[in-house]
Every structure is written in structure tokens, then in C-alpha cells.
Amino acid sequence: MNELWLPVRGYEGLYEVSDHGRVRNRQKLLKLTPDPHYFKVSLRKDGKSTKWRVHQLVANAFLAEPPGPTGSKGGCYQVDHINENKFDNRAVNLRW
């Protein structure tokens, strides 16, 4: 099965995310850091490093836009792991 890569939204030309849940820059795959619930990755732009949850990057690249705002607060659409494994960030396992 081929792996599809798309630019990370807001980091175009710097980083790409795959439908398998991997993240890379121009030179290499990035190390995903587990926290108690999710994989995270640090992305750097304009001298500033920001941590992102990998499932959010995959969803923003591969899922159709939700019909409303996204975020972690109540009332907003959130990314759901269909198989309930929060470390399985394949695009086929995610939905809004």
C-alpha cells in the first residue's frame, strides 16, 4: 500500500504528513513523542517551535473540513479515533 504525503497546513514547504500518520521535513522522518494519550511532534517555523498532536495534522490534511469550528473546547468538532486507539493516527482511523 502506497503512502500518500501532503503538506502540513501552515507549514507548507517545511513539513509533510502522511495518511499513515507519519511526519517529515525535507531531510527525514520526525520522531513522534508519546504523551499519556497521543503522539506529538514539534514543528519549527520562523524560529518558533510548536508542539502538535499528530492526529490533528493528519485530520487537517486528509479529512474533509467539518461543518463548524474545530478545537478541544466543547461545542467544537474534534478528531475521533474510530478504533479508540489514540496512537493509531492513520487517516482511515480518523473522523470529525
Side-chain angles (χ1 to χ4, degrees):
M1 186 170 169
N2 290 334
E3 189 169 10
L4 178 62
W5 292 88
L6 293 175
V8 173
R9 192 177 297 163
Y11 293 85
E12 293 84 354
L14 298 173
Y15 298 96
E16 294 179 317
V17 63
S18 85
D19 60 340
H20 292 194
R22 302 191 311 161
V23 183
R24 69 183 181 190
N25 63 19
R26 294 179 192 166
Q27 292 84 31
K28 63 180 180 171
L29 288 173
L30 300 183
K31 181 180 178 182
L32 306 181
T33 306
D35 74 6
H37 303 288
Y38 303 101
F39 278 125
K40 291 184 178 181
V41 66
S42 291
L43 304 183
R44 190 167 199 68
K45 181 178 174 183
D46 299 327
K48 182 181 177 187
S49 182
T50 304
K51 289 187 180 186
W52 288 91
R53 291 178 175 168
V54 174
H55 66 276
Q56 293 171 324
L57 300 178
V58 174
N60 285 331
F62 290 96
L63 301 183
E65 291 288 324
T70 61
S72 59
K73 305 283 188 227
C76 295
Y77 283 85
Q78 297 179 15
V79 180
D80 178 45
H81 292 80
I82 296 167
N83 68 4
E84 298 182 13
N85 178 353
K86 306 244 186 246
F87 294 101
D88 182 354
N89 295 308
R90 295 173 298 131
V92 296
N93 185 48
L94 303 176
R95 65 183 173 199
W96 293 110

